Amino acid sequence: MKKKVLHIAEAMGGGVFTYLVELANGMSDEFDVTIAYGIRTETPKDIAKYFEKDVHLVQVQNFCRGLNPLKDIKAYCELRKIVKKLQPDIIHMHSSKAGALGRILTGTKSIKKFYTPHGYSFLMQDVSPVKKMIYKVIEKELGKTDCLTVACGESEWIQSQTVTKNSTFISNGINIEKMRKNIRRMTQDDDGQNRDNHFTVYTIGRIDYQKNPELFNEIAEKMPEINFIWIGDGEMRKYLTSPNITITGWMDVAQLVKLSKSLDVFILPSRWEGLPISLLEAMFIQKPCIVSNVVGNKDVIRDGYSGYICSTAQEFVDTIYQIKEGVDEKIIRKAYKDIIEHYNSGWMCEKYKELYCE
């Protein structure tokens, strides 16, 4: 009989969603997988089509972003009912909200528990120092529970050691075979609509404080002759005011790959990261990548070896102009090789299988 795994994810969108799709699908042959999830604006409309038929999906109606005591209590009660009905062998929690509620669930003492932060809440820069301190105290207290923290990258693992002694890391990965199929399909169906002779810089993600749209806009303003595209959407789109910026809204994977393949440079100006899936995908489709000098990005990119790390808007601008003058093919090849060898979902799933069965 297959072991039952329950994934709990309030942040069911963006990189966490992509990560869960690959993890659940990659393990459903050996485990009975259920995902208890919350809806966000960036959550795909028909999420079932992304998962294998034997992956079970249960929506938690009261999951919400941020602190909301009433809804959080209701979400806790929903999760308690799900656990009681499912009787899982393993619970794996994703992001801070799910990690907090999941680790205090009663009646789960005999269940193996794992927690992946995907970017600790106490690292967020859009909250007050007092809130950061509260988040860190909560993580320290919950870090004493019988739950293994599994960071999604080495930098996050280092951060985890400040709040718990019980931690390890397994790096995020992308589905290389799926990406290859999408690229082949894109090549066969290519009608040239996405291509022109205009040099274009792009990024992918939710337009929110973490992804730093203000810095993206500043870079674009300094380079009016270059096109900039933000693939995604969010509550801070009003900060993208430069006339050379286009906002596409959310896309499915095939659309995203097709558009990205026709663009020139990927940038990620984030204020903080876990381990960004969008960056891994850009490296795989062999785009020169420029990232901010923060936790998460620095796990993946080695400056001048597999990409470029910048600390200011002017450094981004200078590096983009440098690439425009001539792409360093060695850096692109090294980045691609890193994805194949270290950041593929097949390797990630095998590591989790080992961990779940220990």
Side-chain angles (χ1 to χ4, degrees), residues 38-54:
I39 293 287
R40 287 191 173 186
T41 55
E42 64 267 33
T43 304
K45 299 297 181 188
D46 183 13
I47 69 168
K49 72 179 183 181
Y50 294 88
F51 292 95
E52 298 291 343
K53 291 181 179 179
D54 51 357

Side-chain angles (χ1 to χ4, degrees), residues 292-308:
S292 53
N293 188 16
V294 298
V295 167
N297 289 344
K298 293 188 293 184
D299 281 352
V300 184
I301 294 294
R302 287 177 281 173
D303 189 36
Y305 178 85
S306 56
Y308 307 88

Side-chain angles (χ1 to χ4, degrees), residues 11-182:
M12 193 65 156
V16 175
F17 176 77
T18 304
Y19 159 94
L20 269 175
V21 167
E22 301 309 334
L23 184 59
N25 289 345
M27 302 185 74
S28 63
D29 57 335
E30 295 182 31
F31 295 85
D32 185 347
V33 180
T34 299
I35 302 175
Y37 67 95
I39 293 287
R40 287 191 173 186
T41 55
E42 64 267 33
T43 304
K45 299 297 181 188
D46 183 13
I47 69 168
K49 72 179 183 181
Y50 294 88
F51 292 95
E52 298 291 343
K53 291 181 179 179
D54 51 357
V55 174
H56 314 289
L57 300 171
V58 182
Q59 185 180 345
V60 178
Q61 300 293 333
N62 287 284
F63 259 152
C64 67
R65 198 179 185 124
L67 291 172
N68 185 319
L70 181 59
K71 277 188 166 290
D72 291 343
I73 291 170
K74 288 181 178 180
Y76 174 90
C77 294
E78 285 187 76
L79 290 174
R80 186 70 196 94
K81 288 178 181 177
I82 292 168
V83 170
K84 192 172 182 180
K85 180 180 179 180
L86 184 65
Q87 294 292 305
D89 301 290
I90 296 159
I91 296 176
H92 192 163
M93 298 149 276
H94 305 273
S95 79
S96 299
K97 175 67 71 73
L101 295 178
R103 282 182 286 181
I104 62 173
L105 278 172
T106 58
T108 60
K109 192 172 182 180
S110 62
I111 300 173
K112 282 186 180 181
K113 288 192 276 191
F114 303 91
Y115 164 51
T116 301
H118 298 283
Y120 275 108
S121 55
F122 60 77
L123 295 178
M124 296 190 299
Q125 296 180 23
D126 57 341
V127 298
S128 67
V130 173
K131 273 193 174 181
K132 284 185 182 181
M133 183 184 70
I134 291 170
Y135 290 149
K136 193 157 191 176
V137 168
I138 291 171
E139 287 288 355
K140 282 184 176 180
E141 288 304 309
L142 293 175
K144 297 173 184 176
T145 61
D146 189 18
C147 174
L148 178 65
T149 296
V150 188
C152 62
E154 188 172 2
S155 292
E156 185 167 87
W157 173 61
I158 291 169
Q159 289 293 333
S160 75
Q161 292 175 309
T162 68
V163 293
T164 181
K165 295 178 181 179
N166 192 20
S167 68
T168 185
F169 79 93
I170 296 174
S171 292
N172 279 354
I174 60 172
N175 190 319
I176 290 172
E177 288 308 311
K178 187 190 293 182
M179 290 288 289
R180 282 179 175 149
K181 286 178 183 177
N182 283 325

Side-chain angles (χ1 to χ4, degrees), residues 196-200 224-227 262 264:
D196 58 31
N197 294 322
H198 215 119
F199 193 86
T200 303
E225 77 285 8
I226 288 177
N227 284 343
S262 69
D264 298 289

